[in-house]
PDB file of all heavy atoms in Angstrom:
ATOM      1  N   THR A 419      29.389  34.804  23.885  1.00 98.00           N
ATOM      2  CA  THR A 419      30.205  35.900  23.406  1.00 98.00           C
ATOM      3  C   THR A 419      30.926  35.330  22.163  1.00 98.00           C
ATOM      4  O   THR A 419      31.046  34.105  21.947  1.00 98.00           O
ATOM      5  CB  THR A 419      31.167  36.408  24.399  1.00 98.00           C
ATOM      6  OG1 THR A 419      31.756  37.620  23.977  1.00 98.00           O
ATOM      7  CG2 THR A 419      32.177  35.370  24.741  1.00 98.00           C
ATOM      8  N   SER A 420      31.206  36.182  21.249  1.00 98.00           N
ATOM      9  CA  SER A 420      31.943  35.806  19.972  1.00 98.00           C
ATOM     10  C   SER A 420      33.476  35.743  20.321  1.00 98.00           C
ATOM     11  O   SER A 420      34.067  36.766  20.389  1.00 98.00           O
ATOM     12  CB  SER A 420      31.640  36.770  18.938  1.00 98.00           C
ATOM     13  OG  SER A 420      32.415  36.488  17.727  1.00 98.00           O
ATOM     14  N   GLY A 421      34.083  34.577  20.466  1.00 97.00           N
ATOM     15  CA  GLY A 421      35.377  34.470  20.804  1.00 97.00           C
ATOM     16  C   GLY A 421      36.372  34.429  19.689  1.00 97.00           C
ATOM     17  O   GLY A 421      37.218  35.334  19.559  1.00 97.00           O
ATOM     18  N   GLY A 422      36.300  33.408  18.808  1.00 97.00           N
ATOM     19  CA  GLY A 422      37.277  33.223  17.777  1.00 97.00           C
ATOM     20  C   GLY A 422      37.174  34.245  16.649  1.00 97.00           C
ATOM     21  O   GLY A 422      38.199  34.783  16.203  1.00 97.00           O
ATOM     22  N   LEU A 423      35.960  34.616  16.227  1.00 97.00           N
ATOM     23  CA  LEU A 423      35.820  35.558  15.085  1.00 97.00           C
ATOM     24  C   LEU A 423      35.685  37.009  15.554  1.00 97.00           C
ATOM     25  O   LEU A 423      36.097  37.871  14.810  1.00 97.00           O
ATOM     26  CB  LEU A 423      34.534  35.183  14.276  1.00 97.00           C
ATOM     27  CG  LEU A 423      34.493  35.728  12.870  1.00 97.00           C
ATOM     28  CD1 LEU A 423      35.599  35.171  12.006  1.00 97.00           C
ATOM     29  CD2 LEU A 423      33.171  35.438  12.227  1.00 97.00           C
ATOM     30  N   GLY A 424      35.282  37.200  16.825  1.00 97.00           N
ATOM     31  CA  GLY A 424      35.165  38.576  17.311  1.00 97.00           C
ATOM     32  C   GLY A 424      34.249  39.393  16.480  1.00 97.00           C
ATOM     33  O   GLY A 424      34.550  40.330  15.944  1.00 97.00           O
ATOM     34  N   THR A 425      33.030  38.984  16.413  1.00 98.00           N
ATOM     35  CA  THR A 425      31.968  39.536  15.535  1.00 98.00           C
ATOM     36  C   THR A 425      31.163  40.640  16.220  1.00 98.00           C
ATOM     37  O   THR A 425      30.333  40.464  17.047  1.00 98.00           O
ATOM     38  CB  THR A 425      30.952  38.464  15.050  1.00 98.00           C
ATOM     39  OG1 THR A 425      31.727  37.347  14.515  1.00 98.00           O
ATOM     40  CG2 THR A 425      30.028  39.011  14.078  1.00 98.00           C
ATOM     41  N   MET A 426      31.493  41.915  15.761  1.00 98.00           N
ATOM     42  CA  MET A 426      30.640  43.014  16.221  1.00 98.00           C
ATOM     43  C   MET A 426      29.244  42.864  15.676  1.00 98.00           C
ATOM     44  O   MET A 426      29.090  42.430  14.545  1.00 98.00           O
ATOM     45  CB  MET A 426      31.242  44.296  15.875  1.00 98.00           C
ATOM     46  CG  MET A 426      32.487  44.710  16.600  1.00 98.00           C
ATOM     47  SD  MET A 426      33.137  46.386  16.135  1.00 98.00           S
ATOM     48  CE  MET A 426      31.847  47.461  16.747  1.00 98.00           C
ATOM     49  N   GLY A 427      28.213  43.206  16.511  1.00 98.00           N
ATOM     50  CA  GLY A 427      26.857  42.992  16.085  1.00 98.00           C
ATOM     51  C   GLY A 427      26.308  41.640  16.594  1.00 98.00           C
ATOM     52  O   GLY A 427      25.113  41.394  16.468  1.00 98.00           O
ATOM     53  N   TYR A 428      27.131  40.821  17.105  1.00 98.00           N
ATOM     54  CA  TYR A 428      26.727  39.490  17.632  1.00 98.00           C
ATOM     55  C   TYR A 428      25.781  39.647  18.858  1.00 98.00           C
ATOM     56  O   TYR A 428      24.837  38.839  18.935  1.00 98.00           O
ATOM     57  CB  TYR A 428      27.988  38.657  18.070  1.00 98.00           C
ATOM     58  CG  TYR A 428      27.756  37.440  18.840  1.00 98.00           C
ATOM     59  CD1 TYR A 428      27.685  36.220  18.168  1.00 98.00           C
ATOM     60  CD2 TYR A 428      27.638  37.443  20.248  1.00 98.00           C
ATOM     61  CE1 TYR A 428      27.514  35.065  18.877  1.00 98.00           C
ATOM     62  CE2 TYR A 428      27.512  36.301  20.963  1.00 98.00           C
ATOM     63  CZ  TYR A 428      27.401  35.088  20.283  1.00 98.00           C
ATOM     64  OH  TYR A 428      27.183  33.892  20.981  1.00 98.00           O
ATOM     65  N   GLY A 429      25.964  40.666  19.701  1.00 98.00           N
ATOM     66  CA  GLY A 429      25.402  40.640  21.009  1.00 98.00           C
ATOM     67  C   GLY A 429      23.809  40.659  20.989  1.00 98.00           C
ATOM     68  O   GLY A 429      23.173  39.835  21.670  1.00 98.00           O
ATOM     69  N   MET A 430      23.226  41.632  20.268  1.00 98.00           N
ATOM     70  CA  MET A 430      21.792  41.786  20.403  1.00 98.00           C
ATOM     71  C   MET A 430      21.037  40.492  19.891  1.00 98.00           C
ATOM     72  O   MET A 430      20.200  39.960  20.553  1.00 98.00           O
ATOM     73  CB  MET A 430      21.327  42.966  19.657  1.00 98.00           C
ATOM     74  CG  MET A 430      19.853  43.402  20.048  1.00 98.00           C
ATOM     75  SD  MET A 430      19.267  44.786  19.061  1.00 98.00           S
ATOM     76  CE  MET A 430      20.406  46.072  19.475  1.00 98.00           C
ATOM     77  N   PRO A 431      21.348  39.924  18.689  1.00 98.00           N
ATOM     78  CA  PRO A 431      20.696  38.784  18.255  1.00 98.00           C
ATOM     79  C   PRO A 431      20.997  37.560  19.017  1.00 98.00           C
ATOM     80  O   PRO A 431      20.076  36.759  19.277  1.00 98.00           O
ATOM     81  CB  PRO A 431      21.100  38.629  16.755  1.00 98.00           C
ATOM     82  CG  PRO A 431      22.359  39.436  16.621  1.00 98.00           C
ATOM     83  CD  PRO A 431      22.193  40.639  17.603  1.00 98.00           C
ATOM     84  N   ALA A 432      22.230  37.431  19.550  1.00 98.00           N
ATOM     85  CA  ALA A 432      22.570  36.303  20.366  1.00 98.00           C
ATOM     86  C   ALA A 432      21.734  36.341  21.694  1.00 98.00           C
ATOM     87  O   ALA A 432      21.285  35.274  22.170  1.00 98.00           O
ATOM     88  CB  ALA A 432      24.055  36.215  20.655  1.00 98.00           C
ATOM     89  N   ALA A 433      21.531  37.524  22.192  1.00 98.00           N
ATOM     90  CA  ALA A 433      20.686  37.651  23.372  1.00 98.00           C
ATOM     91  C   ALA A 433      19.242  37.254  23.122  1.00 98.00           C
ATOM     92  O   ALA A 433      18.615  36.712  23.994  1.00 98.00           O
ATOM     93  CB  ALA A 433      20.784  39.105  23.881  1.00 98.00           C
ATOM     94  N   ILE A 434      18.745  37.611  21.900  1.00 98.00           N
ATOM     95  CA  ILE A 434      17.372  37.211  21.544  1.00 98.00           C
ATOM     96  C   ILE A 434      17.317  35.659  21.618  1.00 98.00           C
ATOM     97  O   ILE A 434      16.423  35.115  22.215  1.00 98.00           O
ATOM     98  CB  ILE A 434      17.053  37.708  20.140  1.00 98.00           C
ATOM     99  CG1 ILE A 434      16.842  39.215  20.185  1.00 98.00           C
ATOM    100  CG2 ILE A 434      15.772  37.039  19.641  1.00 98.00           C
ATOM    101  CD1 ILE A 434      16.709  39.898  18.795  1.00 98.00           C
ATOM    102  N   GLY A 435      18.212  35.022  20.940  1.00 98.00           N
ATOM    103  CA  GLY A 435      18.318  33.562  20.924  1.00 98.00           C
ATOM    104  C   GLY A 435      18.386  32.999  22.419  1.00 98.00           C
ATOM    105  O   GLY A 435      17.741  31.983  22.690  1.00 98.00           O
TER     106      GLY A 435
END
Side-chain angles (χ1 to χ4, degrees):
T419 192
S420 175
L423 200 62
T425 306
M426 287 183 69
Y428 169 93
M430 195 186 299
I434 291 170

